[in-house]
């Protein structure tokens, strides 16, 4: 009887531990599901805010009228810092898709794809570096690298994809687009001068503005994203 009681007690203890493990596993699964829902909601919210910001464009004195700056990368970069570079890229995608749905596209999707790639060129390097160096210094280094990558990719895409596409779409020679740049900056005489004196400063200015605003706002917004 004595050994039988010990065996029964041991079996009960094993069952109890199995039950506790199952409950713990179910709790962890529920927490992960709730976290995934929260992240998806935040991605959608930040993507929608970014899309709205795309409509508030500011003309620039050194570039042709069709180059206007917006601050739509601000919520994207904040989300990238708070949730990681993958989430940042998804927010960028949501932003572009929502803008196409609401505003439509005049470039058969070419400009929208380029905008997505240029946006990711900024926020993904910044997010990757910040993930390894979660400090103000890491954020500054990340945003600096992101600005450089965005500027280089923006110049390449404009020179070899966007400007030729716009010229073909509107039935005008490339020289006509260059002349629009010459009208605001006499130093622009060819496509190389166009990307060097208009496109590059455009992306640098955008990177600096978004970076400065992110540094000013992120500390206050991050707890909200982590807590919600």
């Amino acid at each position: 009887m004595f050994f039988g009681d010990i065996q029964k007690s041991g079996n009960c203890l094993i069952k109890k531990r199995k039950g506790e493990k199952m409950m713990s596993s179910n709790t962890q699964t529920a927490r992960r599901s709730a976290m995934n829902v929260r992240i998806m909601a935040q991605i959608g919210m930040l993507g929608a805010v970014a899309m709205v910001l795309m409509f508030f464009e500011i003309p620039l004195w050194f570039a042709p009228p069709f180059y206007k700056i917006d601050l739509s990368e601000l919520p994207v970069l904040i989300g990238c810092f708070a949730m990681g570079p993958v989430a940042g890229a998804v927010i960028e995608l949501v932003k572009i898709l929502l803008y196409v749905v609401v505003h439509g596209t005049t470039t058969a999707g070419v400009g929208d794809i380029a905008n997505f790639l240029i946006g990711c060129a900024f926020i993904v390097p910044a997010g990757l570096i910040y993930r390894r160096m979660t400090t103000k210094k890491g954020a500054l280094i990340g945003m600096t690298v992101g600005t450089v990558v965005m500027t280089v990719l923006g110049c390449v895409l404009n020179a070899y994809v966007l400007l030729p596409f716009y010229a073909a779409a509107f039935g005008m020679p490339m020289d006509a687009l260059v002349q629009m740049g010459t009208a605001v900056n006499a130093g622009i005489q060819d496509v190389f001068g166009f990307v060097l004196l208009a496109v590059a400063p455009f992306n640098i200015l955008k990177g600096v503005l978004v970076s400065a605003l992110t540094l000013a706002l992120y500390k206050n917004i991050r707890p909200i994203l982590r807590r919600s």
Side-chain angles (χ1 to χ4, degrees):
M1 291 293 294
F2 177 72
F3 290 106
D5 291 339
I6 292 177
Q7 186 176 7
K8 288 180 181 179
S9 298
N11 290 336
C12 289
L13 182 60
I14 292 172
K15 289 180 180 179
K16 182 179 179 181
R17 288 179 176 175
K18 287 183 178 179
E20 289 175 349
K21 288 182 179 179
M22 290 181 64
M23 290 179 63
S24 177
S25 178
N26 291 336
T27 301
Q28 290 177 359
T29 301
R31 287 177 179 174
R32 283 196 295 266
S33 298
M35 185 178 295
N36 290 336
V37 171
R38 174 176 61 81
I39 291 173
M40 290 174 61
Q42 290 177 352
I43 287 174
M45 176 190 68
L46 291 170
V49 173
M51 182 272 294
V52 171
L53 289 176
M54 290 184 73
F55 288 96
F56 296 93
E57 299 177 318
I58 305 170
L60 299 172
W61 68 96
F62 57 80
F66 53 87
Y67 278 95
K68 296 179 181 179
I69 198 167
D70 64 67
L71 299 176
S72 62
E73 303 304 334
L74 176 58
V76 182
L77 185 57
I78 289 174
C80 184
F81 278 175
M83 294 178 282
V86 174
V90 176
I91 296 170
E92 184 72 28
L93 179 61
V94 170
K95 179 193 79 172
I96 297 296
L97 292 176
L98 287 175
Y99 185 79
V100 170
V101 170
V102 173
H103 181 268
T105 179
T106 58
T107 62
V110 174
D112 306 298
I113 294 173
N115 286 339
F116 170 74
L117 294 175
I118 293 171
C120 286
F122 175 47
I123 59 103
V124 171
L128 287 171
I129 293 174
Y130 182 72
R131 195 170 188 179
R132 291 181 175 272
M133 300 174 59
T134 316
T135 61
K136 186 176 182 179
K137 180 180 178 181
L140 284 170
I141 294 173
M143 290 185 292
T144 301
V145 173
T147 299
V148 172
V149 175
M150 175 176 66
T151 301
V152 172
L153 183 62
C155 288
V156 172
L157 287 177
N158 273 271
Y160 296 104
V161 179
L162 293 179
L163 291 176
F165 179 85
Y166 286 133
F170 292 101
M172 63 174 67
M174 283 285 289
D175 289 343
L177 291 176
V178 173
Q179 289 171 8
M180 294 177 69
T182 306
V184 296
N185 187 338
I188 298 176
Q189 297 296 326
D190 51 24
V191 174
F192 178 77
F194 192 103
V195 298
L196 184 65
L197 299 176
V199 177
F202 172 88
N203 285 295
I204 292 172
L205 179 60
K206 184 171 185 177
V208 170
L209 286 175
V210 172
S211 298
L213 289 171
T214 300
L215 284 177
L217 298 174
Y218 181 65
K219 185 176 180 180
N220 294 323
I221 295 177
R222 180 185 178 186
I224 299 174
L225 294 174
R226 292 295 178 90
R227 184 173 63 247
S228 61

